[in-house]
Amino acid sequence: MNQTKYIFVTGGVTSSLGKGIIAASLAKLLQARGYRTTIQKFDPYINVDPGTLNPYEHGECYVTDDGAETDLDLGHYERFLNVPTSQANNVTTGRVYLSVIEKERRGEFLGKTVQVVPHITNEIKQRMQLLGQSGDYDIVITEIGGTVGDIESLPYIESVRQLLWELGDENGIVIHLTLVPYLAAAGELKTKPTQHSVKTLMESGIKADILVCRTEHELSDDLRQKLALFCNVKKEAVIQSIDASTIYDVPNLMLEEGLDKVALKKLGLPEKQSPDLKQWNEFLHRLKNPKHTINIGLVGKYVELQDSYKSILEAFIHAGASNETKVNVVSVHSEYLDAKNIAEKLKDLDGILVAPGFGNRGIEGKIETVRYARENNIPFLGICLGMQMAVIEFARNVLGYADANSTEMNESTAHPVINLMEEQKDIENMGGTMRLGAWKCSLKNDTLANKIYGKSEIMERHRHRYEFNGDYLTEMEQKGLVASGINPDTGLVEVIEVPTHPFFIGVQYHPEYKSTVANPHPLFVSFVAAAVQHKLK
Ligand code: GLN
């Protein structure tokens, strides 16, 4: 196939309708029919990337192999499709403007007045076609962040309009995701908000080809007919997206509604085979028929917002299914934990995960948590900051350095067991300056890490500034800590474990970013298995 086909996904009425999940589900179906499919997201905010955003603002910052700090929807794309994404898959208004302004400074616009149209829209259009032009994909799905009608989205909507015109019929289509609210008092589903948002889209020169309607109740035949008539789409192009008990049900729900078929028809593409979802449905079966139930404590400081730890929660879903185990993730706020209340607060847990994070708040509670897990033989997984806390705990309570700390929390500690790498010391900018993306790690033979991965060379994704201070390695190893994963190029310690404990492991990287439905992450799979064992005992 030569012409890459484009599907644009816009959102109407309100945000948080789950555009990312719809896009990922459609991509899954197209992939399962044999089309090489990718998804990209265009976000209308002015941050160059979400790396500088607090998790409370926009949820987790997702990291790709090439070290891009991206929107959490890219995590969904990878989890559904099992294909890695990259910087090219996530573009923000900030990135677009930065690049246009840099071109202006270099004089590339040859004295012209630089304007939103055509300069910003050209930059957007060029970036929208980047992945398509790589030749790696038959279909590129582009999710436009925000809601149609917002000031911020205008340049994107205009770019889509121009691109549709340039691509020509059957090479580009628009799926509009909207809300069909239920008015309990009237006992009715209402179509008006959808009519209005389709109209807003029309005012920008874009006609929706397919409507995906988020709803809490089934859409009747009459209602579908009404939506089709007033929104100017075929009835078969009115797709119901009803609330699902898990996001992983959505591909099947979209299959039943025929979303993939209508999209292919509009794009002038053959249906090929019926989607091969065998592996996907086996996963769903295991997910929905668990033989065990366990409680895992997720100890962190952003626990009020589910989206802050999105990839970790999803990794537990994948690992739970693979162990035929329902994993209840119990959020524990580390700020309210201390030596006195810890046993009470953590008493019903079969495993404990200390979460990634930044800054001082809540870290003493995390250190107490590690101690509790280590001393009581409770399966423990520390991720990034969680691993650093495990090192500090070991230094304090096993080596006896009561003031041991990370220089992130206390610059003048006499025992900086976690400190800044030399390369990080002179960095002043905050954005994009951490150790980011995939790094190699060698696993020592006969260690827990080696057993978990079943190999001795791995690649995992990082996002941090601070590191294990190698000056303390010998002393810690003499006292029973094992540095089981080392970066072969830099010698940095990436994995630590305590072999006298049934399952105690800390990783400087983020395994959660690489867990997918097709490939549940081995660390999470083994951690869940260890928690099941702990419970059975
Ligand atoms: N704050 C720590 C660092 O920068 C850990 C970061 C994280 O957990 N992602 O090294």
Side-chain angles (χ1 to χ4, degrees), residues 356-359 383-385 388 408 463-466 508 510:
F358 294 84
I383 297 182
C384 207
L385 185 70
Q388 298 176 352
E408 180 181 5
R463 182 174 186 251
H464 56 102
R465 275 180 225 289
Y466 294 82
Q508 185 57 81
H510 291 263

Side-chain angles (χ1 to χ4, degrees), residues 84-104:
T85 56
S86 69
Q87 180 64 71
N89 295 77
N90 192 197
V91 176
T92 68
T93 295
R95 187 167 294 277
V96 169
Y97 270 79
L98 185 64
S99 146
V100 170
I101 290 171
E102 279 170 356
K103 285 180 188 163
E104 186 273 333

Side-chain angles (χ1 to χ4, degrees), residues 372-443:
Y372 178 81
R374 187 176 56 78
E375 292 182 346
N376 293 287
N377 285 334
I378 299 167
F380 169 82
L381 173 59
I383 297 182
C384 207
L385 185 70
M387 175 264 204
Q388 298 176 352
M389 294 300 114
V391 172
I392 294 170
E393 191 278 328
F394 198 84
R396 287 188 187 178
N397 301 319
V398 181
L399 304 191
Y401 299 139
D403 72 331
N405 216 329
S406 160
T407 51
E408 180 181 5
M409 320 303 167
N410 176 3
E411 262 184 84
S412 55
T413 171
H415 297 96
V417 291
I418 303 292
N419 66 358
L420 216 48
M421 282 180 293
E422 268 319 306
E423 303 90 278
Q424 284 282 343
K425 286 191 177 150
D426 296 324
I427 292 175
E428 281 173 5
N429 275 356
M430 292 298 273
T433 54
M434 284 186 252
R435 174 145 83 106
L436 289 166
W439 291 75
K440 237 190 269 164
C441 173
S442 305
L443 302 177

